[in-house]
Amino acid sequence: DMKVTQMPRYLIKRMGENVLLECGQDMSHETMYWYRQDPGLGLQLIYISYDVDSNSEGDIPKGYRVSRKKREHFSLILDSAKTNQTSVYFCATGQGCNQAPLFGEGTRLSVL
Amino acid sequence: SQWGEENLQALSIQEGEDVTMNCSYKTYTTVVHWYRQDSGRGPALIILIRSNEREKRSGRLRATLDTSSQSSSLSITAAQCEDTAVYFCATRTGYQNFYFGKGTSLTVIP
């Protein structure tokens, strides 16, 4: 069964701390995404990765960076987290010929 | 309808009723995807419709696409309580960049 796994599911950090969100997939999909979801704003694309070490900024990359050293793993890094980065973060892979995002269950991040 | 600067739409219906949700998009696309998101879960793809299809059905779901008006709709027939969720449309722009509408929150009352 196709699955995208996000760790951790819940995370509380203090402002200024570094944050690492991890995402894994077992389908060897080339394309992976990071989105954040905020009430009233919907899903916003942070970064897209087309394959290992082939990453591209989405609509809101500021304050974030990503790492993809293996096709199966895609990490989102927040250096010195800010309170306005409190959100739910979703990782996804591209499924099917249209590469439509297949989402994980999300990581709920609170930055205090 | 959802998209752009519109706020999240909310609909509340009785169990057994039919409901239609609308979506308009701004840029050319060859396919519209519809997702549903249950509370506390990630969005899940439920149906997609291509530009050469005017209508697509899957069980109680029916999607339509009008490329001339850049709009799509999702209908649910005889809604059930388990249809309660947020429904998003999504289109692909550029190379594998997907953009999502703000969604319609559907509540089905028993």
Side-chain angles (χ1 to χ4, degrees):
Chain A
D1 196 20
M2 299 191 297
K3 193 169 184 178
V4 177
T5 303
Q6 291 188 239
M7 295 293 289
R9 291 294 313 279
Y10 301 90
L11 188 60
I12 299 175
K13 288 286 192 177
R14 294 193 179 279
M15 190 170 61
E17 290 185 328
N18 298 330
V19 178
L20 173 65
L21 304 184
E22 303 207 75
C23 176
Q25 52 124 339
D26 58 3
M27 300 153 284
S28 202
H29 286 167
E30 294 176 352
T31 306
M32 296 187 75
Y33 309 86
W34 275 107
Y35 286 86
R36 64 177 281 177
Q37 186 177 40
D38 301 290
L41 293 180
L43 287 154
Q44 297 175 274
L45 180 64
I46 306 172
Y47 267 94
I48 181 171
S49 174
Y50 300 109
D51 210 332
V52 171
D53 284 331
S54 180
N55 306 316
S56 182
E57 295 180 344
D59 292 326
I60 53 164
K62 186 177 180 181
Y64 304 95
R65 61 185 175 93
V66 293
S67 175
R68 191 158 179 214
K69 297 302 181 185
K70 293 183 179 180
R71 182 173 282 186
E72 296 76 26
H73 294 109
F74 190 32
S75 301
L76 181 69
I77 301 127
L78 289 66
D79 295 314
S80 188
K82 300 173 179 54
T83 56
N84 62 7
Q85 292 178 307
T86 292
S87 187
V88 182
Y89 290 87
F90 287 100
C91 174
T93 70
Q95 61 178 332
C97 61
N98 286 306
Q99 295 292 293
L102 170 67
F103 286 90
E105 297 289 34
T107 294
R108 188 174 296 273
L109 172 66
S110 295
V111 182
L112 307 177
Chain B
S1 62
Q2 58 179 287
W3 210 262
E5 299 303 314
E6 296 175 33
N7 294 326
L8 174 70
Q9 304 290 305
L11 292 173
S12 184
I13 62 171
Q14 295 290 133
E15 196 171 29
E17 291 183 342
D18 299 340
V19 61
T20 296
M21 292 164 273
N22 298 302
C23 161
S24 58
Y25 54 92
K26 294 181 179 178
T27 56
Y28 172 79
T29 189
T30 58
V31 60
V32 173
H33 303 77
W34 283 92
Y35 284 77
R36 69 170 279 168
Q37 184 177 24
D38 297 312
S39 181
R41 306 291 299 275
L45 180 66
I46 54 175
I47 193 169
L48 63 85
I49 181 166
R50 295 184 168 84
S51 56
N52 62 352
E53 302 171 309
R54 289 186 60 84
E55 177 182 295
K56 183 84 167 285
R57 291 180 184 267
S58 177
R60 293 183 295 107
L61 303 177
R62 173 177 171 262
T64 67
L65 177 59
D66 184 345
T67 54
S68 63
S69 64
Q70 295 188 289
S71 63
S72 178
S73 71
L74 175 69
S75 299
I76 303 175
T77 303
Q80 301 170 3
C81 290
E82 51 264 38
D83 295 325
T84 292
V86 178
Y87 293 84
F88 299 92
C89 65
T91 59
R92 186 174 73 182
T93 61
Y95 184 59
Q96 296 173 217
N97 289 10
F98 282 84
Y99 290 91
F100 289 77
K102 290 182 171 59
T104 298
S105 177
L106 175 67
T107 302
V108 182
I109 303 167

